[in-house]
Amino acid sequence: MTLPLSIDQITAHYGTTKVLEDLSLTVGDGELVSLLGASGCGKTTTLRLVAGFLQPTSGAIRLGDKDLTRLPAHGRDIGLVFQNYALFPHLSVKNNVAFGLKQRKLASGERDKRALEMLDRVGLAHLADRLPGELSGGQKQRVALARALVIEPPLLMFDEPLSNLDAKLRVDMRVEIRQLQRANGTTALYVTHDQEEAFSISDRVAIMNSGRIMQLDTPETLYQRPANKFVAHFVGFENLIDLQVTARDGEMVHAQTHDGGKITLSQERLGAIPDAFVLATRPDGLVVTNDASATGLPATLGMRTYLGRAYQYQCQTGAGQLIANGSLATPFESGAQVTLVPNPDQCAILQPE
Amino acid sequence: MATRIHPLLILMTIVVYIFLIGPLIIIFGASVSDTTFLAFPPQGLTLHWFENIWEISAFRRTIVTSFQVALLGTAMALLIGIPAAYALNRHRIQLPGWLSTLFVLPILIPEIVIGFSLLRSINVGLGVPVFFALLIGHTLLVLPYVIRVISASLASFDFSIEEAAISLGSRPVKTFFTIVLPNVRSGILAAFILAFITSINDVSVSLFLTGPGISTLPIQILAHVEQFFDPTIASVSVLLMMLTIIVMIIVERTLGLTAVTK
Ligand SMILES: Nc1ncnc2c1ncn2[C@@H]1O[C@H](COP(=O)(O)OP(=O)(O)O)[C@@H](O)[C@H]1O
Ligand SMILES: [Mg+2]
């Protein structure tokens, strides 16, 4: 059995400091949603509220149609996986996994049988009698995963479960976590500060900033259609240019920066463009050219760095400092006067804030 | 070329060892000396002075009292100290920093002052019977050590382990006993030993709290020395030392001393 999670307008404080403000979030039945954001933005706090280790100042948390808000943590029936594994150091691997079943008063034979089955699913049945201290990081996290899954919780929560593992293992483990979660169809809330990890593992991702969700969407939407400057910058749209429409010509829109830099964009590619807007571009989304007839932002090139697949330039423009990538075939020298032309494939249109 | 150890360093080491071990050897020698006064080197060999401990009823009684007070006082200090240390560490972030300092403050106060103030407040002030006054005094004496040692052990305990257990359906109180306690076992044992030895060797606090008919072994040793100077004192001291050594050996055998000093 698995249930949808809904967090409804939660506000939370540590002492008098507000850490979460009016946070709402739903995770559909069997869906995996990630909370993604920099350290200190409130991801762990959100999980602790759902787990019941922290009480919200206001708001409600529901699992299916059960109201969790006032339920004690030990009665919530949620599988938790922590960054530092949190295995019981004095219990064998098998007894670690069987712990939750013991709390559910299962007979010891049945407990062992299920624990061993679950250990087999994570490929660790042969280590059942070891102590956690004798396992590698990856093995510990598999045991933690087995321990959380064996109680067949309606909701699984992960708090940066892969942060202590090395890069190669992180990729393997996230695939494994995703497969187990899919196979069981368990609703899951997953916390990470690693964008690639969040995007690869999730059905939807909530990008958080100082206690609020800035945007909750599929990875594709977040990556291509960020809703605001924060998310745009977070997913790599490093240039945010304020523009004003000066003329419209069918689908073609002519706009200019406050200092007169001109840009032409097509609504066919970018969707409707309001009169005042912000053009967000990735470094790859600004083409560097010395073709004097091109329509774009005039710029003076600053420092050039070599990225392997391209050169990256710091560009001084009337609209501020911008970052653009130029082809390896035509390198420009620092100090060159060029024009930056936006490439609509790497651009997004935002409302001004 | 191998580094040569400076001769002065060797000399210093020897001197330090003589100072440390010398008195022990002298006392041990004196305790088996067949003389009626403290003599070193021993003249003749006898275990008479060890038997004599049991023959002097005051020693018999105070040994029993000392053990009762040390065991019960330590037990009470653990009963109070373990939850206090747990709370201090569990809620370290929310609690003000001076709070944990407050609990170890008694270490800084001269024991003689603690003894005197306890005499005034509980013994004279409240009229608590001597034995219980002694018990309370020793509990308070060893409590800071208990909290200190167990806190050190809890400082390396990862409280997310406790949360993992709770999330799996274990009630908080049960979790404390099944998950937290087993993982600070060595700290509790270390605290027990330290508290027990501190209590059984204490003079300053007991001096004020012992009363008619009820005394502890160290106080009795003092009283005895004031009147007699026979080797019984040496044999009692050896007995106390043996006790400490036996406790250490048991710990070393069951846990390893590293587990305690860790
Ligand atoms: N126990 C606590 N007491 C006080 N402040 C805390 C506590 N835990 C976290 N915080 C603060 O709350 C904010 C959010 O923390 P957290 O949810 O742990 O962030 P994240 O998991 O996203 O890194 C941070 O500013 C952090 O300093
Ligand atoms: Mg965190």
Side-chain angles (χ1 to χ4, degrees), chain A residues 43-44 159-160 191:
Chain A
K43 307 179 297 290
T44 297
D159 193 354
E160 313 218 8
V191 161

Side-chain angles (χ1 to χ4, degrees), chain A residues 42-235:
Chain A
K43 307 179 297 290
T44 297
T45 304
T46 310
L47 284 204
R48 291 173 58 80
L49 283 162
V50 177
F53 300 128
L54 201 68
Q55 281 297 316
T57 323
S58 64
I61 300 164
R62 267 180 293 275
L63 193 56
D65 43 22
K66 188 165 71 171
D67 187 356
L68 294 186
T69 323
R70 300 286 155 213
L71 214 60
H74 67 266
R76 293 198 181 189
D77 212 19
I78 294 170
L80 273 178
V81 179
F82 298 83
Q83 175 175 351
N84 46 9
Y85 325 120
L87 297 179
F88 311 128
H90 61 300
L91 298 181
S92 70
V93 164
K94 186 180 70 187
N95 286 340
N96 261 277
V97 177
F99 186 87
L101 300 173
K102 193 172 175 186
Q103 309 312 312
R104 282 158 183 73
K105 304 272 187 288
L106 258 71
S108 83
E110 178 67 15
R111 253 169 19 217
D112 287 358
K113 187 172 141 276
R114 288 206 206 170
L116 286 172
E117 274 170 16
M118 190 48 78
L119 277 171
D120 196 38
R121 282 185 66 187
V122 297
L124 292 182
H126 60 293
L127 299 177
D129 296 319
R130 296 273 185 91
L131 285 175
E134 303 167 64
L135 305 184
S136 71
Q139 291 170 334
K140 283 183 189 166
Q141 202 51 293
R142 285 202 176 84
V143 176
L145 191 59
R147 183 179 68 176
L149 281 171
V150 78
I151 61 171
E152 296 174 7
L155 173 67
L156 264 176
M157 297 203 294
F158 300 84
D159 193 354
E160 313 218 8
L162 308 180
S163 297
N164 288 0
L165 305 178
D166 57 50
K168 169 82 174 73
L169 195 57
R170 267 209 293 267
V171 175
D172 295 348
M173 277 295 288
R174 78 184 185 216
V175 173
E176 202 170 321
I177 288 178
R178 181 58 159 159
Q179 281 168 348
L180 279 166
Q181 181 264 340
R182 276 250 175 86
N184 288 26
T186 313
T187 309
L189 188 56
Y190 189 101
V191 161
T192 177
H193 65 263
D194 180 332
Q195 186 182 326
E196 183 190 309
E197 187 178 312
F199 280 19
S200 66
I201 204 175
S202 315
D203 294 306
R204 288 187 302 150
V205 175
I207 293 181
M208 287 183 69
N209 179 37
S210 37
R212 273 171 307 184
I213 292 179
M214 304 306 290
Q215 188 175 358
L216 171 57
D217 254 312
T218 62
E220 290 82 355
T221 309
L222 287 170
Y223 199 75
Q224 288 154 17
R225 297 269 168 270
N228 49 58
K229 284 184 174 179
F230 181 86
V231 175
H233 199 263
F234 195 93
V235 298

Side-chain angles (χ1 to χ4, degrees), chain A residues 48 53 73-75 77-80 82 84 86-91 96 99-100 102-105 147-148 151, chain B residues 90 94 157-172 174-175 177-180 182-183 185:
Chain A
R48 291 173 58 80
F53 300 128
H74 67 266
D77 212 19
I78 294 170
L80 273 178
F82 298 83
N84 46 9
L87 297 179
F88 311 128
H90 61 300
L91 298 181
N96 261 277
F99 186 87
K102 193 172 175 186
Q103 309 312 312
R104 282 158 183 73
K105 304 272 187 288
R147 183 179 68 176
I151 61 171
Chain B
R90 181 80 173 81
Q94 292 103 301
F157 180 76
D158 174 7
F159 283 95
S160 59
I161 290 171
E162 189 188 25
E163 292 184 345
I166 293 175
S167 78
L168 290 165
S170 173
R171 289 173 179 280
K174 185 178 169 197
T175 306
F177 286 103
T178 57
I179 300 296
V180 182
N183 284 300
R185 215 181 45 211

Side-chain angles (χ1 to χ4, degrees), chain A residues 223-224 226 228-243 257 263 265 270 277-288 297 299-301 303 307 309 311-326 339-344 346-351 353:
Chain A
Y223 199 75
Q224 288 154 17
N228 49 58
K229 284 184 174 179
F230 181 86
V231 175
H233 199 263
F234 195 93
V235 298
F237 291 92
E238 292 187 49
N239 304 307
L240 299 168
I241 308 162
D242 283 303
L243 288 159
T257 61
I263 272 179
L265 296 163
L270 291 164
F277 67 99
V278 177
L279 178 71
T281 77
R282 295 199 160 87
D284 282 330
L286 285 178
V287 178
V288 184
L297 304 178
T300 311
L301 294 186
M303 198 175 72
L307 298 183
R309 59 183 175 83
Y311 284 115
Q312 184 159 88
Y313 300 95
Q314 306 290 322
C315 314
Q316 213 52 58
T317 75
Q321 173 107 345
L322 300 178
I323 301 170
N325 290 350
T339 305
L340 303 176
V341 183
N343 163 15
Q346 301 282 348
C347 291
I349 303 296
L350 305 174
Q351 296 289 339
E353 287 166 21

Side-chain angles (χ1 to χ4, degrees), chain B residues 28-109:
Chain B
F28 192 79
S31 73
V32 291
S33 174
D34 194 8
T35 50
T36 55
F37 50 90
L38 283 172
F40 189 85
Q43 287 143 38
L45 274 185
T46 176
L47 287 179
H48 170 74
W49 303 112
F50 283 90
E51 289 163 24
N52 201 37
I53 302 173
W54 280 112
E55 269 151 36
I56 302 173
S57 71
F59 273 122
R60 247 186 359 243
R61 272 188 285 111
T62 54
I63 286 175
V64 172
T65 310
S66 268
F67 264 81
Q68 285 174 331
V69 169
L71 279 175
L72 286 174
T74 301
M76 275 166 51
L78 286 174
L79 234 49
I80 302 167
I82 293 172
Y86 171 79
L88 283 174
N89 283 278
R90 181 80 173 81
H91 306 288
R92 193 168 22 192
I93 308 168
Q94 292 103 301
L95 294 172
W98 52 263
L99 200 65
S100 56
T101 315
L102 187 72
F103 275 95
V104 293
L105 209 55
I107 293 180
L108 301 178
I109 302 172

